[in-house]
Amino acid sequence: MRKILIVDDNYLSMFLLKEGIGKRNYDIMEVDDSTKVLEIIEDVKPDLVILDIIMPNLSGFDLLKELTKREYKVVVVSSLDSNEAKKKAFDLGAKNYITKPFSFDNLRTVISDEMAYIN
């Protein structure tokens, strides 16, 4: 079963992401504190990380840099809709960028596409 780690400090966003992904043979884990992600990532070993950018303590951009350095596949889902934020995310290694609010169909398509490239 493929593993997805959702990293978002907002419980409503995490709920909507989990609902949007649906029950598609994914093992979905959630972390609401960005500082804990690097502590657990090697144990969890997700196939895909869904990452918010605006978080307290460790920003999503800082976390994205670390995750892609460790070769994790990351999709950003954020309310930041500027071209600068999107460019920075892609420059740091994000595989895709979804702007909140998002449609469930778009979320599912992006996740399916990213999972298709996993060995």
Side-chain angles (χ1 to χ4, degrees):
M1 184 175 289
R2 302 276 188 206
K3 295 179 188 175
I4 297 176
L5 178 64
I6 299 172
V7 183
D8 198 315
D9 64 314
N10 182 295
Y11 291 106
L12 178 58
S13 290
M14 278 198 293
F15 173 79
L16 290 172
L17 286 164
K18 196 170 182 178
E19 286 296 307
I21 295 166
K23 311 256 188 294
R24 297 176 179 267
N25 291 328
Y26 299 130
D27 181 13
I28 301 172
M29 296 149 284
E30 303 158 287
V31 178
D32 64 351
D33 183 344
S34 58
T35 61
K36 293 180 182 174
V37 174
L38 297 177
E39 295 173 20
I40 67 161
I41 196 81
E42 296 304 323
D43 292 329
V44 173
K45 291 188 178 17
D47 297 295
L48 182 66
V49 178
I50 298 176
L51 177 66
D52 186 26
I53 294 297
I54 304 172
M55 291 185 288
N57 303 318
L58 183 61
S59 83
F61 286 125
D62 293 334
L63 189 52
L64 174 60
K65 184 177 180 179
E66 279 301 311
L67 292 172
T68 56
K69 189 187 309 181
R70 296 178 188 198
E71 299 186 6
Y72 285 99
K73 186 178 277 201
V74 181
V75 170
V76 171
V77 179
S78 178
S79 59
L80 292 177
D81 193 21
S82 70
N83 288 335
E84 294 83 18
K86 293 174 185 176
K87 181 181 181 331
K88 185 173 182 177
F90 285 120
D91 287 348
L92 290 172
K95 297 295 181 188
N96 212 315
Y97 194 109
I98 301 172
T99 304
K100 294 177 186 175
F102 55 85
S103 75
F104 286 171
D105 287 339
N106 184 41
L107 178 66
R108 289 181 190 124
T109 298
V110 167
I111 290 172
S112 293
D113 289 350
E114 295 305 327
M115 289 297 194
Y117 293 106
I118 296 173
N119 297 329

